[in-house]
Amino acid sequence: MSKLTLDDAIKHCLEVAEDNERAIDCLDLWEEEGQEQANMCRECAADHRQLAELLMELKDLRAEQNDQYVFIHELMSELKEAKRLLKAAVEDLNATVAEV
């Protein structure tokens, strides 16, 4: 079994919603049996659209989290470099003071 990605899951949910919405048009032509089935298709379509929206929100949150991680990683690298430069400056200052 292949690993399902968020994009695959979103695509699947939208396809199921669209299939159910198309089925509603056909079922609406039927009498009572068709109406019951059409209502089930409406609920299924709505559920799958909502699930797709939630998955898209999750995808956006993951992307945002990744961007924040990259920013923090870059910031940490800059802080390490600043610490190194500060240590070198203190060592130079101590060497200068020792010469005097």
Side-chain angles (χ1 to χ4, degrees), residues 4-28:
L4 187 66
T5 66
L6 271 176
D7 287 332
D8 294 335
I10 292 167
K11 181 180 174 188
H12 172 74
C13 287
L14 293 174
E15 288 172 352
V16 170
E18 290 168 4
D19 289 346
N20 277 282
E21 289 164 351
R22 278 193 293 276
I24 293 167
D25 293 336
C26 296
L27 292 168
D28 276 341

Side-chain angles (χ1 to χ4, degrees), residues 69-86:
Y69 174 78
V70 168
F71 172 76
I72 290 169
H73 181 73
E74 290 171 352
L75 185 59
M76 290 301 293
S77 294
E78 290 175 13
L79 287 172
K80 285 179 184 178
E81 178 63 11
K83 182 179 176 182
R84 186 191 68 76
L85 291 172
L86 181 58

Side-chain angles (χ1 to χ4, degrees), residues 51-70:
L51 180 55
E53 288 174 13
L54 292 169
L55 290 171
M56 286 185 270
E57 183 179 339
L58 174 61
K59 182 180 174 184
D60 291 343
L61 288 171
R62 282 185 174 179
E64 184 179 320
Q65 181 183 25
N66 187 54
D67 290 345
Q68 290 173 352
Y69 174 78
V70 168

